[in-house]
Amino acid sequence: MKNDRIHVTARCPIRTTLEMVGGKWKLLILRQLYGGPLRLSALRSTIPDISEKMLIQELKILVENRLVHRENFGEVPPRVAYSLTDRGELVKPLIEEMIAFAERYERT
């Protein structure tokens, strides 16, 4: 890891990352999609503290950022599933490192 300081601009790497996955819920949603596609109700049941409105809002942002794919099956009643895109897969090492950091932090 470099110890060089980064030039903080509107498009610096840290700001870009936080813009894509920052906030209370996005990383948790992405982590829950590791195992494959999930419907909204199944996804919500894996994150009990999130409201349905907030989950839908965060999923919309993740879809817009091309980290999550939304598949609409065109059925009545509506059936929709969410899954990680190739770009979403790029977040996995970040999440794993965050988990490792938290585990190390808790031990100290």
Side-chain angles (χ1 to χ4, degrees):
M1 177 184 224
K2 290 183 182 180
N3 288 327
D4 299 335
R5 293 176 189 242
I6 63 169
H7 184 68
V8 178
T9 65
R11 298 292 354 144
C12 81
I14 293 172
R15 281 189 175 186
T16 299
T17 302
L18 289 174
E19 187 177 299
M20 295 293 119
V21 297
K24 185 175 181 179
W25 303 109
K26 289 183 188 87
L27 288 171
L28 294 171
I29 293 167
L30 291 168
R31 174 60 186 92
Q32 297 309 93
L33 293 173
Y34 273 21
L38 289 175
R39 294 183 64 187
L40 185 69
S41 59
L43 187 54
R44 183 160 182 241
S45 71
T46 67
I47 310 172
D49 296 339
I50 194 170
S51 69
E52 187 169 338
K53 178 183 175 183
M54 182 57 68
L55 178 58
I56 291 168
Q57 181 179 317
E58 295 288 51
L59 282 166
K60 183 178 179 183
I61 293 168
L62 290 167
V63 169
E64 288 172 1
N65 290 337
R66 296 182 289 168
L67 297 172
V68 169
H69 173 70
R70 180 182 188 270
E71 184 172 1
N72 185 345
F73 293 92
E75 299 175 357
V76 176
R79 183 167 64 112
V80 176
Y82 296 90
S83 59
L84 290 178
T85 63
D86 290 341
R87 283 186 173 192
E89 294 282 338
L90 296 174
V91 179
K92 284 183 174 182
L94 173 64
I95 294 171
E96 295 306 317
E97 191 56 39
M98 290 177 74
I99 292 168
F101 166 80
E103 290 170 348
R104 288 189 305 267
Y105 179 83
E106 292 295 321
R107 286 194 302 264
T108 60

